[in-house]
Amino acid sequence: MANVSKEELLHIARLADLNINYEEIDNYLANLQDILNFAEVVNNANTEGLEETIGENDKVNVFRKDEIKVFEDNKALLQNAKEQERNMFKIPKVIQ
């Protein structure tokens, strides 16, 4: 497998909008090369005689039943909450 050059690494970093310090380049190069070497091992794995699979089993959309459960000790549950409102955790708005 060909080695990744510093120029290629910096090009990838620019595409990914990453700021890489010049002191970190050698470390990033080594890590990227390890990842690419492992990908090469996976690509060359012997798959002869194996059937194509999509998932580990035939189950589709296995969900538990949605049930309301009463928690007896709300005070203990909320004791570490930064903020509370109406006996519930109050969190910052995440949807605009």
Side-chain angles (χ1 to χ4, degrees):
M1 159 153 282
N3 289 334
V4 178
S5 70
K6 288 183 181 184
E7 293 77 24
E8 289 172 318
L9 175 71
L10 292 172
H11 178 69
I12 293 167
R14 275 191 302 278
L15 291 174
D17 198 23
L18 298 175
N19 294 322
I20 297 178
N21 297 328
Y22 282 99
E23 300 85 37
E24 300 173 313
I25 289 177
D26 290 334
N27 187 36
Y28 277 98
L29 276 173
N31 289 330
L32 181 58
Q33 196 62 54
D34 286 344
I35 292 167
L36 294 174
N37 290 339
F38 183 72
E40 187 68 23
V41 170
V42 171
N43 283 337
N44 293 327
N46 182 10
T47 57
E48 190 173 321
L50 297 177
E51 293 181 32
E52 184 177 323
T53 59
I54 304 281
E56 63 200 63
N57 58 38
D58 295 332
K59 295 181 180 179
V60 177
N61 295 335
V62 179
F63 298 105
R64 64 174 170 79
K65 186 176 179 185
D66 192 11
E67 297 175 344
I68 296 174
K69 294 186 179 182
V70 177
F71 189 78
E72 299 298 328
D73 194 359
N74 281 352
K75 186 175 181 180
L77 180 67
L78 295 170
Q79 72 182 359
N80 292 325
K82 266 189 173 179
E83 293 185 59
Q84 301 175 32
E85 187 175 294
R86 297 183 315 182
N87 208 25
M88 295 181 282
F89 286 91
K90 184 176 180 181
I91 61 170
K93 185 177 179 180
V94 293
I95 299 174
Q96 295 182 358

